[in-house]
Amino acid sequence: MEQVKYKLGEKDLPKQWYNILADLPEPLPAPLHPATGKPIQPDDLKPLFPMALIEQEMSPQRYIDIPEEILEIYSLWRPTTLFRARRLEKALKTPAKIYYKYEGESPAGSHKPNTAVAQVYYNKKEGIERITTETGAGQWGSALSFAGALFGVKIKVYMVKISYEQKPYRRIMMQTWGAECVPSPSPDTKAGRAMLEKDPDCPGSLGLAISEAVEDAVSRDDTHYSLGSVLNHVLLHQTVIGLEAKKILEEIGDYPDIVIGCVGGGSNFAGLFLPFLKDKLDGKKPDLRIINVEPASCPTLTKGPYAYDFGDEAGLTPLLKMNTLGHGFIPPPVHAGGLRYHGMAPIISHLLNLGLVEAVAVHQLETFEAGVTFARNEGIISAPETDHAIRAVIDEAIKCREEGKEKTILFNLSGHGHFDMSAYQAYFEGKLQNYEYPEDKIQESLKELPKV
Ligand SMILES: *Cc1c(COP(=O)(O)O)cnc(C)c1O
């Protein structure tokens, strides 16, 4: 029998996260204070984050210990399984080997609890009793709610209104884990009230929901804010994915030639590829290809310039140097809700700029087609976000067939799609369309970039 499932033992759980900041060939451009334009100091971030996370955000240390209490919670679902997609390989008649790490095994069904648990832990340790956040489709809100329940910390989630109305089940997961979830724009904050006055029917956006959550957090002493992607400490926590994958592949005696993942803010994919990127930088695997996959409707890496911009709509956050479509960018409704952010992790943007990683944009219809092909061969029904990665995997595997090359492809199956059946339904009913964000609208949104 051919083996398809590879799993490390619980004792092999990584005991440290890997910090790429220690190994970058050129340092990451500093985040800037929105008022002064000067580099951010740790104290500037204190109203939002606990000191431990601020230190991790800027740490030069290569490996950072994972506290025992976090490891205990990780062990509820980690190490996650590495699968060999042998049936998909056969269906595609490709000589390529395809492996995937399955992050849908977590209680919330995605990679997001890897950082949610860590973030709530450090907040709790510094005496914080309440955390605010935003969520698009509800994946991040539900992951943070799960972590809040385990540590007894109150969670308030500002959920993009259109998703709040269209996707009730993620909201009810949050409720089940004891969190409060309100539609954004909400009457609970100045930013929300201002938008409601301007447009009572505003469907909301991730950038606006961030403004609300940040405003709420800075207005109360017992409250901090938490972000589910983009920031360095979030990517750091996600490296457990890549560290596990590397270790198990070592045991099997294999190593990827191509690593692929979908990117919204960039955390799940960076979590997988950063430990492998270290080998590329060290000269152990110089020709490793790292492919970031994004939607053509929100083409941050492939069409957005590398520039300083705000992380939120109202301009409250520090300025981050990143690929951006402009903080006022309101993406068209695409079902992959988790991939609709205007910016990108500064680490990934920097790596793209240095030519160490690649990016491709794919269209919505072909992503669902790929997800359906995957489900009919491998069984797992993946999240629409993940279907972007699967599209690129299938394209690379077909290229291997055409060129007769036996490459090893590794991708991150960032989450299952069990709460996204309405998106699959819309696809089957022919109600979805491809949408390429028009160049002139991107240029218009970029006019609002802050002058630095
Ligand atoms: C949130 C989410 C993403 C996108 O976020 P990243 O920070 O880019 O990883 C991708 N896949 C799933 C399943 C998600 O929930």
Side-chain angles (χ1 to χ4, degrees):
M1 200 171 75
E2 285 183 323
Q3 195 170 353
V4 293
K5 208 161 103 225
Y6 304 89
K7 208 161 170 142
L8 293 166
E10 214 172 288
K11 62 173 189 345
D12 295 318
L13 248 176
K15 304 293 184 296
Q16 297 177 311
W17 292 298
Y18 169 59
N19 179 16
I20 187 70
L21 297 185
D23 291 317
L24 286 174
E26 285 174 37
L28 204 61
L32 303 179
H33 195 287
T36 64
K38 299 246 165 64
I40 282 278
Q41 298 305 310
D43 273 358
D44 297 330
L45 297 172
K46 265 168 97 175
L48 293 178
F49 304 113
M51 236 19 238
L53 293 178
I54 297 171
E55 278 162 20
Q56 290 178 3
E57 190 64 20
M58 308 174 172
S59 173
Q61 209 180 312
R62 181 170 294 122
Y63 290 99
I64 293 175
D65 288 341
I66 307 177
E68 191 62 33
E69 280 152 283
I70 296 178
L71 285 174
E72 265 170 31
I73 295 177
Y74 277 177
S75 72
L76 290 173
W77 73 94
R78 306 207 71 84
T80 58
T81 310
L82 179 82
F83 286 91
R84 168 94 183 261
R86 292 192 190 265
R87 292 173 161 276
L88 181 66
E89 290 168 17
K90 289 198 182 98
L92 299 174
K93 298 190 177 62
T94 178
K97 288 191 247 177
I98 303 173
Y99 291 98
Y100 60 96
K101 195 81 162 70
Y102 185 36
E103 289 298 308
E105 288 170 354
S106 81
S110 77
H111 64 287
K112 289 194 170 83
N114 296 332
T115 186
V117 167
Q119 292 192 43
V120 176
Y121 166 83
Y122 289 114
N123 274 291
K124 168 99 180 178
K125 221 172 141 218
E126 291 184 23
I128 287 297
E129 291 164 10
R130 182 174 173 273
I131 300 174
T132 61
T133 197
E134 71 291 334
T135 197
Q139 292 266 24
W140 170 242
S142 54
L144 195 69
S145 302
F146 154 67
L150 297 197
F151 287 105
V153 170
K154 281 193 207 121
I155 306 292
K156 175 154 181 186
V157 182
Y158 292 86
M159 184 169 184
V160 177
K161 194 201 266 167
I162 184 166
S163 303
Y164 183 92
E165 285 162 359
Q166 288 177 356
K167 303 190 174 178
Y169 294 124
R170 284 263 163 211
R171 162 161 56 95
I172 293 160
M173 285 173 86
M174 295 181 226
Q175 198 179 359
T176 306
W177 277 313
E180 182 192 355
C181 175
V182 296
S184 165
S186 81
D188 302 1
T189 66
K190 259 192 264 165
R193 285 191 295 271
M195 183 53 89
L196 286 173
E197 244 165 63
K198 221 164 64 179
D199 176 11
D201 299 321
C202 174
S205 72
L206 213 46
L208 178 61
I210 296 177
S211 300
E212 289 205 85
V214 168
E215 184 190 321
D216 179 333
V218 297
S219 69
R220 286 175 61 155
D221 282 343
D222 65 347
T223 301
H224 271 165
Y225 165 72
S226 167
L227 191 63
S229 187
V230 181
L231 299 179
N232 302 346
H233 67 265
V234 180
L235 275 55
L236 171 82
H237 301 150
Q238 294 295 352
T239 58
V240 286
I241 303 170
L243 292 165
E244 286 176 10
K246 222 171 119 175
K247 187 157 186 179
I248 190 86
L249 280 168
E250 224 162 72
E251 283 181 18
I252 306 168
D254 218 333
Y255 198 95
D257 300 297
I258 307 174
V259 187
I260 294 175
C262 64
V263 287
S267 71
N268 87 84
F269 187 40
L272 178 69
F273 80 67
L274 288 174
F276 292 95
L277 176 68
K278 181 173 191 320
D279 289 348
K280 185 178 165 103
L281 295 171
D282 289 348
K284 285 186 200 151
K285 180 73 183 173
D287 57 349
L288 175 69
R289 289 182 62 206
I290 297 169
I291 306 176
N292 296 271
V293 191
E294 64 183 10
S297 58
C298 186
T300 317
L301 288 173
T302 50
K303 294 214 173 136
Y306 184 45
Y308 274 104
D309 197 6
F310 295 105
D312 69 321
E313 199 259 353
L316 300 173
T317 69
L319 295 168
L320 301 172
K321 183 127 190 225
M322 60 185 175
N323 285 82
T324 178
L325 296 168
H327 58 278
F329 173 83
I330 300 223
V334 179
H335 271 286
L339 303 182
R340 299 178 57 201
Y341 185 60
H342 69 271
M344 182 57 61
I347 287 178
I348 292 190
S349 304
H350 186 56
L351 293 171
L352 182 74
N353 198 252
L354 292 174
L356 289 164
V357 303
E358 308 167 32
V360 294
V362 292
H363 281 288
Q364 171 160 264
L365 291 178
E366 57 202 41
T367 66
F368 278 98
E369 185 203 14
V372 170
T373 301
F374 188 82
R376 288 179 187 175
N377 286 285
E378 294 296 315
I380 294 170
I381 299 176
S382 50
E385 290 86 352
T386 314
D387 289 343
H388 290 67
I390 297 175
R391 176 73 260 162
V393 168
I394 291 178
D395 291 345
E396 287 297 329
I398 289 172
K399 219 184 286 168
C400 285
R401 177 181 73 206
E402 288 165 357
E403 294 172 358
K405 290 202 174 127
E406 204 177 297
K407 291 194 179 148
T408 297
I409 301 171
L410 168 67
F411 78 96
N412 200 27
L413 207 161
S414 53
H416 67 62
H418 297 179
F419 296 97
D420 302 289
M421 286 298 104
S422 60
Y424 278 85
Q425 181 181 16
Y427 170 69
F428 290 129
E429 290 174 355
K431 290 183 181 152
L432 295 186
Q433 295 146 17
N434 284 339
Y435 183 86
E436 185 150 349
Y437 208 78
E439 195 62 46
D440 55 323
K441 279 183 102 172
I442 295 177
Q443 291 313 323
E444 197 182 304
S445 162
L446 289 176
K447 280 192 202 134
E448 293 168 48
L449 281 184
K451 305 274 175 297
V452 176

